[in-house]
Amino acid sequence: MTDRLVLIIGAGPTGLVLALWLTRLGVRVRIIDKTAEPGTTSRAVAVQARTLEFYRQVGLSGAVVEAGVKVAAANLWIGGANAARLPLGRMGEGLSPFPYALTYPQDAHECLLIERLVALGVKVERRTELVRFDQFPEKVRVVLKRPDGSEEICEVAYLAGCDGARSTVRETLATGFPGGTYSGLFYVADVDAAGPAANGEIHVDFEEADFLAVFPLQGTGRLRLIGPVSWEPDREHRELTFDDVSERAIRNLKLTIVKVNWFSTYHVHHRVASRFREGRAFLLGDAAHVHSPVGGQGMNTGIGDAVNLAWKLAGVLSGARDGLLATYEPERIGFARRLVATTDRGFTLVTKQGVVARWVRTRLVPLIAPLIFRLAPVRRFLFRTVSQINVNYRNSPLSVGAAGAVRGGDRLPWVETDPGKDNFTPLASLTWQVHVYGEPRIGLAEVCADIQLPLHFFPWQKEMRRAGLLRRALYLVRPDGYVALADPHADPERLREYLRAGSLRISQ
């Protein structure tokens, strides 16, 4: 390999996070985007706890939390009245260092990621476009179109397609993109407003036919509105404006619209690429999967793709077997397919026509949702699901063993070890590491030192058992915070064998 460069196509959140993680892992990157500037009309607004955990590993979570809005509750409106209030607050207490729902608009999100990359010496190459590429056993030859219209030929080690739903990388690979498009047109708007629905909480207005969702943004009265357009406009005569759809927000949610900052319409798709990898080219984010906005999962899933691929690319470029990269697709494509199916059911529930669907939406949900939210196990289940901390890779060839309630492939459970301290702090190294909760077995420290594998042990506390951890067990943790090997006996030789079998390069 003459060049260890990774070329990233697309500078949305997925591509930017991939560039950030690779750079932190010592891999050279180029990131290009055909647009002249970062997006200003993006739709994604939710940042889930798992994303914040990934960001904490690279020193980014504090800035995102500070710039975002912690959402205390979600309100359900029926017929112009607030029918139910569901407390969100600290739903994930004890499950994550970020136990809340957070909103932070994608355009500001992208600007923050770009700033962090610039500080690391990486600049997005704007108005630069992928023309074509050809793959060879040891490289990818790429043709780029520069801002002045000229073409550049470059050779890179790997190519990452983060170039959205109309991905040139995906089209070149000729992988299928099965799925479909929901009927109807939807809109998104950022507004300055006043009224009861401008109180820093989420508000969802259900009518017999559809819904309107309101999300708080940082700043007094700043809101994101998402809803359906009740008719398909004749675009040959006139483009829609916010005035065409604002009546419902004004009437039902009693909002006074002070200013419209931007407005856009879009169709909702649900698709997953047939493959996420072909040779040295990979698909991530919207290039690999698109789905409805229900649950605020899309952008976070793309970021999860980026983190999963980043440490594997870094590992292979540092000497690990190529088989490590072969685990990217099976680990991420299964989750993407399940997510599309889940969000499809949710989206269908809030938009489905018919007497029964309307009754469920406007009568049953407001009645039972507050009762369900009073149950701690339900709140924890919902948090685990929506926050993506429940995502696991148990069926991956990298995942081995079980200790306590934790199996290979699970996200490492989060526990506080002392006031203000926790077991996620060592993950900032972005390296393979061993965790032991309780006294380490004799000989383990010597083996870890011999193979240059960091060992972290934490004095046993009862909270660790509640988190599912087993006292004195060995947990080999991947750079992305997932458990690779869980060994209840903490056998040093089993650790050696695991690393030998996978030919994993664990030191940077």
Side-chain angles (χ1 to χ4, degrees):
M1 178 69 61
T2 59
D3 197 336
R4 298 175 67 248
L5 180 72
V6 175
L7 176 62
I8 301 169
I9 314 297
T14 299
L16 293 168
V17 170
L18 179 61
L20 179 61
W21 266 67
L22 284 172
T23 302
R24 286 289 307 273
L25 287 164
V27 177
R28 289 200 310 120
V29 302
R30 283 183 70 181
I31 178 167
I32 69 168
D33 197 286
K34 62 183 178 181
T35 63
E37 58 186 15
T40 58
T41 59
S42 54
R43 295 187 291 272
V45 71
V47 182
Q48 304 295 353
R50 190 65 182 123
T51 295
L52 291 172
E53 291 173 359
F54 290 141
Y55 281 0
R56 180 182 169 185
Q57 290 185 254
V58 291
L60 192 64
S61 59
V64 173
V65 171
E66 183 179 355
V69 176
K70 297 179 185 178
V71 182
N75 298 268
L76 307 181
W77 290 66
I78 307 292
N82 193 328
R85 184 176 186 271
L86 311 177
L88 301 179
R90 299 179 67 83
M91 282 180 62
E93 195 78 59
L95 298 175
S96 171
F98 309 99
Y100 39 75
L102 187 84
T103 62
Y104 183 51
Q106 184 178 328
D107 48 352
H109 199 151
E110 289 181 11
C111 288
L112 177 61
L113 290 167
I114 289 169
E115 288 175 6
R116 292 303 173 97
L117 279 172
V118 169
L120 294 172
V122 178
K123 185 178 180 181
V124 177
E125 299 176 42
R126 294 283 174 190
R127 297 170 57 207
T128 303
E129 194 170 346
L130 173 67
V131 177
R132 62 184 178 275
F133 65 90
D134 296 295
Q135 299 201 60
F136 299 90
E138 296 295 322
K139 64 187 177 183
V140 184
R141 181 171 295 146
V142 184
V143 179
L144 303 177
K145 183 178 179 181
R146 293 168 166 162
D148 62 3
S150 64
E151 289 191 348
E152 172 194 353
I153 299 175
C154 63
E155 294 183 350
V156 300
Y158 295 98
L159 179 72
C162 308
D163 48 343
R166 298 179 180 178
S167 168
T168 301
V169 177
R170 190 186 63 245
E171 291 176 1
T172 302
L173 296 177
T175 181
F177 202 33
T181 303
Y182 295 103
S183 61
L185 188 68
F186 295 81
Y187 75 86
V188 57
D190 273 8
V191 303
D192 293 341
N199 64 345
E201 298 179 352
I202 294 172
H203 296 263
V204 182
D205 174 45
F206 287 119
E207 283 191 347
E208 291 192 350
D210 50 41
F211 71 100
L212 168 64
V214 177
F215 299 91
L217 305 177
Q218 193 170 70
T220 303
R222 286 200 61 218
L223 305 175
R224 166 73 52 84
L225 275 62
I226 299 175
V229 177
S230 57
W231 73 97
E232 188 75 26
D234 184 353
R235 290 182 175 270
E236 292 183 2
H237 293 87
R238 183 175 67 85
E239 289 288 331
L240 278 178
T241 69
F242 183 69
D243 289 339
D244 294 311
V245 297
S246 62
E247 179 186 354
R248 178 171 172 184
I250 295 169
R251 182 189 68 240
N252 288 14
L253 296 177
K254 301 177 175 60
L255 285 174
T256 300
I257 306 300
V258 177
K259 180 184 177 184
V260 179
N261 297 309
W262 65 264
F263 172 82
S264 181
T265 59
Y266 63 101
H267 288 278
V268 176
H269 307 274
H270 51 106
R271 301 178 183 276
V272 180
S274 300
R275 301 190 307 276
F276 284 12
R277 181 200 185 189
E278 183 70 33
R280 292 178 170 271
F282 298 84
L283 297 175
L284 303 83
D286 286 355
H289 44 78
V290 292
H291 33 79
S292 87
V294 169
Q297 301 295 299
M299 179 182 67
N300 296 274
T301 303
I303 290 169
D305 295 341
V307 173
N308 187 287
L309 181 61
W311 69 267
K312 294 174 181 177
L313 281 172
V316 170
L317 288 169
S318 296
R321 285 180 182 173
D322 184 72
L324 183 60
L325 286 176
T327 66
Y328 166 70
E329 178 181 297
E331 287 191 354
R332 296 305 296 174
I333 200 169
F335 172 61
R337 287 170 175 163
R338 291 191 300 274
L339 180 62
V340 166
T342 302
T343 57
D344 179 65
R345 288 193 293 269
F347 193 75
T348 299
L349 173 65
V350 297
T351 60
K352 188 176 179 61
Q353 304 298 306
V355 174
V356 174
R358 290 196 297 268
W359 179 81
V360 169
R361 191 162 52 239
T362 63
R363 299 290 185 269
L364 184 60
V365 171
L367 179 65
I368 67 171
L371 301 177
I372 291 176
F373 263 72
R374 293 176 187 172
L375 304 175
V378 171
R379 291 197 304 272
R380 291 169 68 87
F381 170 78
L382 290 174
F383 179 82
R384 286 179 178 276
T385 302
V386 175
S387 70
Q388 297 197 0
I389 68 169
N390 225 23
V391 173
N392 69 75
Y393 306 130
R394 290 181 175 182
N395 295 322
S396 170
L398 295 178
S399 304
V400 176
V406 179
R407 293 171 56 182
D410 288 352
R411 160 191 168 271
L412 178 71
W414 174 78
V415 290
E416 282 192 291
T417 54
D418 289 301
K421 298 182 180 180
D422 60 29
N423 64 329
F424 274 21
T425 300
L427 301 182
S429 64
L430 306 184
T431 57
W432 289 85
Q433 55 195 264
V434 169
H435 284 209
V436 176
Y437 298 85
E439 308 77 15
R441 177 173 168 172
I442 295 174
L444 181 60
E446 290 76 10
V447 169
C448 288
D450 180 51
I451 57 181
Q452 301 180 41
L453 185 62
L455 170 63
H456 301 280
F457 63 92
F458 306 88
W460 182 254
Q461 300 175 23
K462 60 183 179 182
E463 290 79 5
M464 295 172 177
R465 179 177 289 108
R466 285 201 293 264
L469 297 163
L470 180 66
R471 189 168 187 167
R472 300 193 72 184
L474 177 154
Y475 298 96
L476 175 63
V477 184
R478 306 173 357 171
D480 58 356
Y482 287 87
V483 174
L485 168 67
D487 179 11
H489 306 295
D491 183 354
E493 289 309 310
R494 191 179 186 194
L495 175 63
R496 281 186 187 273
E497 178 56 32
Y498 176 92
L499 296 171
R500 189 182 305 118
S503 291
L504 301 173
R505 185 177 180 85
I506 56 177
S507 59
Q508 298 297 319

